[in-house]
Amino acid sequence: MFSSESGSNICSLCSNALECGEKRYRCSECSDIKFCEECYHSPKSIEFHTDKAILPHHCTIETKTDSEYLQSNESDRFYQCFENAFNSFSHRNCIGVRPVANEPTVNWLTFKDVYQNSEMFGSALKLNVKYESRVGIMLNNVPEWYFVEFGCLFYGYTLIPINHYINNDQLLNILKIGEPTILVVSKITFPKLLNVINNYSNLTLIIHVGDDYDQNLKNQLPQQIKFKLYSEFLSTVSEIAPHSPLINGILSVVFSTGSTGIPKGEICKDRDTTNWLKTYASYKKCPISISYLSLSHTQRLMDLTSIFLGGRFLIYSLGTEIEPFIKECSMVRPTYFWNFPTFYNQIYSMYQRRLEILKKEQPNLSNDEVDSKAIRETTNVFGDRIQHISTRGAKTAPHIEIFLKKCWGNRFYNNYGCTESYAIASNGRIRSDVEYKINAIPGFRDDSLYPVGELIVKSPRTIEGYINKDGSNEKNFRNGWYVTGDIVEEYEPGVIRILERVSYSFKSSFGRFISPEIIESNFYSSSLIRNIFIYGTSLHPFLVGIVVPSQLALERFNLTYDQSNIDQHQDLKESIINEINIISKQKNIIFWEIPKAIKLDNTIWTVYNHLLNGSFKFDRKEITKYYQKSLDQLLSGINENVMLQFECLFYTLLFLSNETVTFYNLSPVIDSP
Ligand SMILES: [Zn+2]
Ligand SMILES: [Zn+2]
């Protein structure tokens, strides 16, 4: 059952009861304002619009309260949930695009517009593509994404959402594992596909959103692949075909990068998919929000939930900096907002800078007064309508959580979940519909007072498994239980704290999964590097490294392995940093995977000093222990400015979607000593 708190059934002016099914006018700006037919036309109704959005407010004719819609739109089939939602909310605004950043104009697509566009795309699929085919979608955040999404849902195709920021290897792996035969791309993502196209042979059709494609790239396509413009593809449709949704089929294959670095394709079917939809729908009333990240995962879920609830969101993709985005927030005045911890780190920095300024400007104010003023200004950035603001996707630092609670009180949620089982805990408390076990890990905090270990969960949202045929199902799924790979501490019954990943791979504070061994492997092509060890933690956005130079490198500078303090040798260090930067560019390494600071060391790693294990592999645990002091110094030695610059850059990249930008030409490289 959905929560039924939202929406009363009383006319806001005359207080007469509105029966379910009875016509009423619902305001899209004010919270829970609706009028009976008579009152809507009364001039007095104007006074009841309390929201500060410019009058007149957009009102739609409806027949139920939001909670009544929620209950009647619910279905065990994902298709039916959306069929119902589109029917219920056809006149509401659904997806907005601001043609000019930070200008007030918004071009809105109504639910009906989105529905009809989706039917067009789906009908074209039905005409041209075999039923149940897999359709890959690699687009930046544009309305066409949703048309493809619902086109597939309505007409029986499996959707494979692909993050347009991934590197060539990941893309190739996703294609090979997901096996799409059709791929929808744009000017931004088409070049990326060309990098790997010759190594993947199942593709038969490429659909290009936008008419401004690169003719040279098109000419490079293998002969068996048809290339069609999106508009051209739609022009094959003479009439809308009847819907033919999948029955018990795979609705989507969603990829996440697992700890081994090989992307895992999650099989999403009606049961798990409708259950996460119900869970997320219960979090919030009909939301007003901003959509701006890649639609390959969390943002997609949030946007789909918004559509199911009859909410509206604005696609933000024009700006390149954090400031215009903040400005956008204050213009949209969202009711619902989520982001990665690293975003809130920046908000926290803004708040701290503001504190300093206020103290100087108004020395007569007490610390408490200055603080509450700065907090108020921070919350105002997001407008006056926030009902639910959350962080998810990575661990949030405790001081940031305290700050966010100060800003939004109990409207702030620290959500924890995983892509295989979706929502697991909120503010540390495990959801009531999640069964869980904590399996102790020998050697990890054996002395803890609380249960500590790897979290294993089972919920109505847990997926069946991966599409991969590489043994990852056996490892991660056991009789309906999912092994999260997260080490948690249950410090109160049913309340957990996330401590660490089980493997040495980890999520950076960007929410990005970092697999150090894979990153390291890139640098072994260098003749100057004997060993490299990449290190980071989930509280830091950047990585650092220990490098043991090769003999060749040492000889160039008349050094030997017996030398002490080779880290002090500036010329050697510079040449190695230079080498790392060159390789990073050559291999198109994503900037957050490039070490931000390194230390040189001349210890030879052997089985004797235990830095190599019995099978002559790096013993990461031992290496970490051996270099712990240096690693901590490297991590803490990077000053605030560099960090801020690094975080801004990350967001810049997320925002860029109208220009073709490759990662390497924006990658911050290691600072020269
Ligand atoms: Zn009335
Ligand atoms: Zn209103």
Side-chain angles (χ1 to χ4, degrees), residues 50-75:
T50 49
D51 187 90
K52 72 177 189 192
I54 297 164
L55 289 163
H57 292 170
H58 178 236
C59 290
T60 46
I61 300 174
E62 312 206 340
T63 56
K64 292 177 187 176
T65 65
D66 282 351
S67 55
E68 283 165 351
Y69 276 129
L70 203 54
Q71 279 175 31
S72 60
N73 289 346
E74 178 191 7
S75 166

PDB file of all heavy atoms in Angstrom, residues 50-75:
ATOM      1  N   THR A  50      -1.092  30.380  -2.163  1.00  0.00           N
ATOM      2  CA  THR A  50      -0.107  30.899  -1.207  1.00  0.00           C
ATOM      3  C   THR A  50       1.324  30.795  -1.710  1.00  0.00           C
ATOM      4  O   THR A  50       2.204  31.485  -1.225  1.00  0.00           O
ATOM      5  CB  THR A  50      -0.210  30.121   0.119  1.00  0.00           C
ATOM      6  OG1 THR A  50      -0.217  28.732  -0.192  1.00  0.00           O
ATOM      7  CG2 THR A  50      -1.465  30.497   0.868  1.00  0.00           C
ATOM      8  N   ASP A  51       1.574  29.914  -2.679  1.00  0.00           N
ATOM      9  CA  ASP A  51       2.952  29.763  -3.161  1.00  0.00           C
ATOM     10  C   ASP A  51       3.372  31.026  -3.895  1.00  0.00           C
ATOM     11  O   ASP A  51       2.566  31.676  -4.563  1.00  0.00           O
ATOM     12  CB  ASP A  51       3.060  28.557  -4.101  1.00  0.00           C
ATOM     13  CG  ASP A  51       4.501  28.274  -4.467  1.00  0.00           C
ATOM     14  OD1 ASP A  51       5.139  27.495  -3.730  1.00  0.00           O
ATOM     15  OD2 ASP A  51       4.997  28.844  -5.459  1.00  0.00           O
ATOM     16  N   LYS A  52       4.670  31.364  -3.788  1.00  0.00           N
ATOM     17  CA  LYS A  52       5.119  32.638  -4.352  1.00  0.00           C
ATOM     18  C   LYS A  52       5.399  32.594  -5.860  1.00  0.00           C
ATOM     19  O   LYS A  52       5.851  33.583  -6.433  1.00  0.00           O
ATOM     20  CB  LYS A  52       6.328  33.155  -3.583  1.00  0.00           C
ATOM     21  CG  LYS A  52       7.608  32.385  -3.820  1.00  0.00           C
ATOM     22  CD  LYS A  52       8.757  33.040  -3.054  1.00  0.00           C
ATOM     23  CE  LYS A  52      10.074  32.415  -3.462  1.00  0.00           C
ATOM     24  NZ  LYS A  52      11.174  32.784  -2.574  1.00  0.00           N
ATOM     25  N   ALA A  53       5.145  31.453  -6.516  1.00  0.00           N
ATOM     26  CA  ALA A  53       5.304  31.398  -7.975  1.00  0.00           C
ATOM     27  C   ALA A  53       4.378  32.442  -8.608  1.00  0.00           C
ATOM     28  O   ALA A  53       3.310  32.740  -8.070  1.00  0.00           O
ATOM     29  CB  ALA A  53       4.954  30.005  -8.490  1.00  0.00           C
ATOM     30  N   ILE A  54       4.820  32.991  -9.748  1.00  0.00           N
ATOM     31  CA  ILE A  54       4.065  34.070 -10.396  1.00  0.00           C
ATOM     32  C   ILE A  54       2.649  33.604 -10.742  1.00  0.00           C
ATOM     33  O   ILE A  54       2.450  32.526 -11.310  1.00  0.00           O
ATOM     34  CB  ILE A  54       4.795  34.532 -11.684  1.00  0.00           C
ATOM     35  CG1 ILE A  54       6.161  35.120 -11.312  1.00  0.00           C
ATOM     36  CG2 ILE A  54       3.969  35.572 -12.444  1.00  0.00           C
ATOM     37  CD1 ILE A  54       7.109  35.243 -12.487  1.00  0.00           C
ATOM     38  N   LEU A  55       1.656  34.424 -10.401  1.00  0.00           N
ATOM     39  CA  LEU A  55       0.251  34.111 -10.701  1.00  0.00           C
ATOM     40  C   LEU A  55      -0.035  34.428 -12.167  1.00  0.00           C
ATOM     41  O   LEU A  55       0.611  35.296 -12.724  1.00  0.00           O
ATOM     42  CB  LEU A  55      -0.668  34.936  -9.790  1.00  0.00           C
ATOM     43  CG  LEU A  55      -0.672  34.514  -8.312  1.00  0.00           C
ATOM     44  CD1 LEU A  55      -1.258  35.624  -7.447  1.00  0.00           C
ATOM     45  CD2 LEU A  55      -1.445  33.220  -8.121  1.00  0.00           C
ATOM     46  N   PRO A  56      -0.992  33.824 -12.859  1.00  0.00           N
ATOM     47  CA  PRO A  56      -1.828  32.750 -12.315  1.00  0.00           C
ATOM     48  C   PRO A  56      -1.072  31.417 -12.276  1.00  0.00           C
ATOM     49  O   PRO A  56      -0.251  31.157 -13.146  1.00  0.00           O
ATOM     50  CB  PRO A  56      -2.979  32.691 -13.330  1.00  0.00           C
ATOM     51  CG  PRO A  56      -2.379  33.154 -14.623  1.00  0.00           C
ATOM     52  CD  PRO A  56      -1.318  34.152 -14.254  1.00  0.00           C
ATOM     53  N   HIS A  57      -1.361  30.614 -11.270  1.00  0.00           N
ATOM     54  CA  HIS A  57      -0.749  29.291 -11.181  1.00  0.00           C
ATOM     55  C   HIS A  57      -1.435  28.332 -12.152  1.00  0.00           C
ATOM     56  O   HIS A  57      -2.636  28.440 -12.379  1.00  0.00           O
ATOM     57  CB  HIS A  57      -0.875  28.747  -9.751  1.00  0.00           C
ATOM     58  CG  HIS A  57      -0.053  29.512  -8.765  1.00  0.00           C
ATOM     59  ND1 HIS A  57      -0.156  29.335  -7.413  1.00  0.00           N
ATOM     60  CD2 HIS A  57       0.898  30.474  -8.945  1.00  0.00           C
ATOM     61  CE1 HIS A  57       0.696  30.140  -6.797  1.00  0.00           C
ATOM     62  NE2 HIS A  57       1.339  30.847  -7.702  1.00  0.00           N
ATOM     63  N   HIS A  58      -0.631  27.423 -12.678  1.00  0.00           N
ATOM     64  CA  HIS A  58      -1.156  26.434 -13.618  1.00  0.00           C
ATOM     65  C   HIS A  58      -2.038  25.432 -12.866  1.00  0.00           C
ATOM     66  O   HIS A  58      -1.584  24.760 -11.941  1.00  0.00           O
ATOM     67  CB  HIS A  58       0.024  25.726 -14.296  1.00  0.00           C
ATOM     68  CG  HIS A  58      -0.364  24.657 -15.255  1.00  0.00           C
ATOM     69  ND1 HIS A  58       0.092  23.365 -15.138  1.00  0.00           N
ATOM     70  CD2 HIS A  58      -1.165  24.681 -16.347  1.00  0.00           C
ATOM     71  CE1 HIS A  58      -0.412  22.642 -16.124  1.00  0.00           C
ATOM     72  NE2 HIS A  58      -1.168  23.414 -16.870  1.00  0.00           N
ATOM     73  N   CYS A  59      -3.328  25.371 -13.243  1.00  0.00           N
ATOM     74  CA  CYS A  59      -4.239  24.416 -12.609  1.00  0.00           C
ATOM     75  C   CYS A  59      -4.702  23.390 -13.638  1.00  0.00           C
ATOM     76  O   CYS A  59      -4.897  23.723 -14.804  1.00  0.00           O
ATOM     77  CB  CYS A  59      -5.465  25.134 -12.041  1.00  0.00           C
ATOM     78  SG  CYS A  59      -5.092  26.144 -10.607  1.00  0.00           S
ATOM     79  N   THR A  60      -4.865  22.161 -13.209  1.00  0.00           N
ATOM     80  CA  THR A  60      -5.352  21.126 -14.122  1.00  0.00           C
ATOM     81  C   THR A  60      -6.661  20.550 -13.589  1.00  0.00           C
ATOM     82  O   THR A  60      -6.878  20.496 -12.377  1.00  0.00           O
ATOM     83  CB  THR A  60      -4.326  19.976 -14.265  1.00  0.00           C
ATOM     84  OG1 THR A  60      -3.865  19.605 -12.966  1.00  0.00           O
ATOM     85  CG2 THR A  60      -3.162  20.385 -15.130  1.00  0.00           C
ATOM     86  N   ILE A  61      -7.522  20.146 -14.528  1.00  0.00           N
ATOM     87  CA  ILE A  61      -8.790  19.532 -14.137  1.00  0.00           C
ATOM     88  C   ILE A  61      -8.528  18.070 -13.819  1.00  0.00           C
ATOM     89  O   ILE A  61      -7.965  17.342 -14.643  1.00  0.00           O
ATOM     90  CB  ILE A  61      -9.834  19.643 -15.273  1.00  0.00           C
ATOM     91  CG1 ILE A  61     -10.090  21.118 -15.595  1.00  0.00           C
ATOM     92  CG2 ILE A  61     -11.129  18.936 -14.890  1.00  0.00           C
ATOM     93  CD1 ILE A  61     -10.989  21.331 -16.801  1.00  0.00           C
ATOM     94  N   GLU A  62      -8.899  17.648 -12.613  1.00  0.00           N
ATOM     95  CA  GLU A  62      -8.641  16.269 -12.200  1.00  0.00           C
ATOM     96  C   GLU A  62      -9.846  15.708 -11.465  1.00  0.00           C
ATOM     97  O   GLU A  62     -10.810  16.428 -11.198  1.00  0.00           O
ATOM     98  CB  GLU A  62      -7.393  16.232 -11.313  1.00  0.00           C
ATOM     99  CG  GLU A  62      -6.255  17.026 -11.953  1.00  0.00           C
ATOM    100  CD  GLU A  62      -4.880  16.596 -11.555  1.00  0.00           C
ATOM    101  OE1 GLU A  62      -4.763  15.950 -10.508  1.00  0.00           O
ATOM    102  OE2 GLU A  62      -3.938  16.911 -12.301  1.00  0.00           O
ATOM    103  N   THR A  63      -9.770  14.428 -11.125  1.00  0.00           N
ATOM    104  CA  THR A  63     -10.932  13.803 -10.486  1.00  0.00           C
ATOM    105  C   THR A  63     -10.609  13.112  -9.166  1.00  0.00           C
ATOM    106  O   THR A  63     -11.489  12.538  -8.532  1.00  0.00           O
ATOM    107  CB  THR A  63     -11.571  12.759 -11.437  1.00  0.00           C
ATOM    108  OG1 THR A  63     -10.557  11.819 -11.804  1.00  0.00           O
ATOM    109  CG2 THR A  63     -12.143  13.412 -12.684  1.00  0.00           C
ATOM    110  N   LYS A  64      -9.340  13.139  -8.764  1.00  0.00           N
ATOM    111  CA  LYS A  64      -8.964  12.455  -7.518  1.00  0.00           C
ATOM    112  C   LYS A  64      -7.911  13.271  -6.782  1.00  0.00           C
ATOM    113  O   LYS A  64      -7.271  14.138  -7.370  1.00  0.00           O
ATOM    114  CB  LYS A  64      -8.357  11.077  -7.831  1.00  0.00           C
ATOM    115  CG  LYS A  64      -9.318  10.071  -8.410  1.00  0.00           C
ATOM    116  CD  LYS A  64      -8.582   8.784  -8.751  1.00  0.00           C
ATOM    117  CE  LYS A  64      -9.510   7.835  -9.501  1.00  0.00           C
ATOM    118  NZ  LYS A  64      -8.817   6.621  -9.925  1.00  0.00           N
ATOM    119  N   THR A  65      -7.686  12.949  -5.520  1.00  0.00           N
ATOM    120  CA  THR A  65      -6.553  13.538  -4.804  1.00  0.00           C
ATOM    121  C   THR A  65      -5.299  12.781  -5.234  1.00  0.00           C
ATOM    122  O   THR A  65      -5.380  11.688  -5.793  1.00  0.00           O
ATOM    123  CB  THR A  65      -6.689  13.380  -3.279  1.00  0.00           C
ATOM    124  OG1 THR A  65      -6.639  11.983  -2.968  1.00  0.00           O
ATOM    125  CG2 THR A  65      -7.989  13.969  -2.764  1.00  0.00           C
ATOM    126  N   ASP A  66      -4.131  13.361  -4.931  1.00  0.00           N
ATOM    127  CA  ASP A  66      -2.882  12.689  -5.296  1.00  0.00           C
ATOM    128  C   ASP A  66      -2.798  11.296  -4.680  1.00  0.00           C
ATOM    129  O   ASP A  66      -2.338  10.354  -5.315  1.00  0.00           O
ATOM    130  CB  ASP A  66      -1.678  13.532  -4.843  1.00  0.00           C
ATOM    131  CG  ASP A  66      -1.438  14.706  -5.789  1.00  0.00           C
ATOM    132  OD1 ASP A  66      -2.085  14.749  -6.854  1.00  0.00           O
ATOM    133  OD2 ASP A  66      -0.605  15.570  -5.457  1.00  0.00           O
ATOM    134  N   SER A  67      -3.249  11.172  -3.440  1.00  0.00           N
ATOM    135  CA  SER A  67      -3.124   9.858  -2.801  1.00  0.00           C
ATOM    136  C   SER A  67      -4.121   8.856  -3.383  1.00  0.00           C
ATOM    137  O   SER A  67      -3.827   7.666  -3.475  1.00  0.00           O
ATOM    138  CB  SER A  67      -3.276   9.973  -1.288  1.00  0.00           C
ATOM    139  OG  SER A  67      -4.482  10.596  -0.974  1.00  0.00           O
ATOM    140  N   GLU A  68      -5.286   9.357  -3.810  1.00  0.00           N
ATOM    141  CA  GLU A  68      -6.236   8.450  -4.476  1.00  0.00           C
ATOM    142  C   GLU A  68      -5.670   7.978  -5.823  1.00  0.00           C
ATOM    143  O   GLU A  68      -5.791   6.808  -6.183  1.00  0.00           O
ATOM    144  CB  GLU A  68      -7.589   9.143  -4.685  1.00  0.00           C
ATOM    145  CG  GLU A  68      -8.423   9.234  -3.416  1.00  0.00           C
ATOM    146  CD  GLU A  68      -9.583  10.230  -3.505  1.00  0.00           C
ATOM    147  OE1 GLU A  68      -9.659  11.001  -4.497  1.00  0.00           O
ATOM    148  OE2 GLU A  68     -10.394  10.247  -2.567  1.00  0.00           O
ATOM    149  N   TYR A  69      -5.025   8.909  -6.539  1.00  0.00           N
ATOM    150  CA  TYR A  69      -4.375   8.516  -7.801  1.00  0.00           C
ATOM    151  C   TYR A  69      -3.319   7.451  -7.539  1.00  0.00           C
ATOM    152  O   TYR A  69      -3.215   6.449  -8.238  1.00  0.00           O
ATOM    153  CB  TYR A  69      -3.704   9.725  -8.460  1.00  0.00           C
ATOM    154  CG  TYR A  69      -4.628  10.573  -9.299  1.00  0.00           C
ATOM    155  CD1 TYR A  69      -4.700  11.940  -9.116  1.00  0.00           C
ATOM    156  CD2 TYR A  69      -5.414   9.996 -10.300  1.00  0.00           C
ATOM    157  CE1 TYR A  69      -5.538  12.733  -9.897  1.00  0.00           C
ATOM    158  CE2 TYR A  69      -6.258  10.778 -11.086  1.00  0.00           C
ATOM    159  CZ  TYR A  69      -6.319  12.141 -10.878  1.00  0.00           C
ATOM    160  OH  TYR A  69      -7.144  12.911 -11.648  1.00  0.00           O
ATOM    161  N   LEU A  70      -2.524   7.710  -6.494  1.00  0.00           N
ATOM    162  CA  LEU A  70      -1.433   6.804  -6.157  1.00  0.00           C
ATOM    163  C   LEU A  70      -1.963   5.389  -5.951  1.00  0.00           C
ATOM    164  O   LEU A  70      -1.422   4.415  -6.469  1.00  0.00           O
ATOM    165  CB  LEU A  70      -0.768   7.320  -4.876  1.00  0.00           C
ATOM    166  CG  LEU A  70       0.657   6.916  -4.601  1.00  0.00           C
ATOM    167  CD1 LEU A  70       1.538   7.254  -5.780  1.00  0.00           C
ATOM    168  CD2 LEU A  70       1.157   7.650  -3.360  1.00  0.00           C
ATOM    169  N   GLN A  71      -3.053   5.313  -5.202  1.00  0.00           N
ATOM    170  CA  GLN A  71      -3.608   3.990  -4.915  1.00  0.00           C
ATOM    171  C   GLN A  71      -4.182   3.327  -6.160  1.00  0.00           C
ATOM    172  O   GLN A  71      -3.981   2.140  -6.382  1.00  0.00           O
ATOM    173  CB  GLN A  71      -4.676   4.099  -3.832  1.00  0.00           C
ATOM    174  CG  GLN A  71      -4.038   4.162  -2.457  1.00  0.00           C
ATOM    175  CD  GLN A  71      -5.047   4.386  -1.354  1.00  0.00           C
ATOM    176  OE1 GLN A  71      -6.187   3.952  -1.459  1.00  0.00           O
ATOM    177  NE2 GLN A  71      -4.626   5.066  -0.312  1.00  0.00           N
ATOM    178  N   SER A  72      -4.869   4.112  -6.982  1.00  0.00           N
ATOM    179  CA  SER A  72      -5.491   3.470  -8.145  1.00  0.00           C
ATOM    180  C   SER A  72      -4.494   3.227  -9.277  1.00  0.00           C
ATOM    181  O   SER A  72      -4.731   2.396 -10.141  1.00  0.00           O
ATOM    182  CB  SER A  72      -6.689   4.286  -8.632  1.00  0.00           C
ATOM    183  OG  SER A  72      -6.279   5.579  -8.994  1.00  0.00           O
ATOM    184  N   ASN A  73      -3.358   3.933  -9.255  1.00  0.00           N
ATOM    185  CA  ASN A  73      -2.367   3.718 -10.319  1.00  0.00           C
ATOM    186  C   ASN A  73      -1.434   2.551 -10.030  1.00  0.00           C
ATOM    187  O   ASN A  73      -0.729   2.072 -10.906  1.00  0.00           O
ATOM    188  CB  ASN A  73      -1.536   4.990 -10.545  1.00  0.00           C
ATOM    189  CG  ASN A  73      -2.362   6.093 -11.200  1.00  0.00           C
ATOM    190  OD1 ASN A  73      -3.457   5.825 -11.704  1.00  0.00           O
ATOM    191  ND2 ASN A  73      -1.851   7.309 -11.189  1.00  0.00           N
ATOM    192  N   GLU A  74      -1.421   2.137  -8.795  1.00  0.00           N
ATOM    193  CA  GLU A  74      -0.554   1.030  -8.396  1.00  0.00           C
ATOM    194  C   GLU A  74      -0.913  -0.241  -9.164  1.00  0.00           C
ATOM    195  O   GLU A  74      -2.084  -0.535  -9.395  1.00  0.00           O
ATOM    196  CB  GLU A  74      -0.735   0.785  -6.896  1.00  0.00           C
ATOM    197  CG  GLU A  74       0.061  -0.368  -6.368  1.00  0.00           C
ATOM    198  CD  GLU A  74      -0.359  -0.750  -4.944  1.00  0.00           C
ATOM    199  OE1 GLU A  74      -1.346  -0.196  -4.445  1.00  0.00           O
ATOM    200  OE2 GLU A  74       0.303  -1.604  -4.372  1.00  0.00           O
ATOM    201  N   SER A  75       0.123  -0.977  -9.568  1.00  0.00           N
ATOM    202  CA  SER A  75      -0.096  -2.249 -10.254  1.00  0.00           C
ATOM    203  C   SER A  75       1.118  -3.129 -10.026  1.00  0.00           C
ATOM    204  O   SER A  75       2.185  -2.637  -9.666  1.00  0.00           O
ATOM    205  CB  SER A  75      -0.284  -2.012 -11.755  1.00  0.00           C
ATOM    206  OG  SER A  75      -0.176  -3.228 -12.462  1.00  0.00           O
TER     207      SER A  75
END
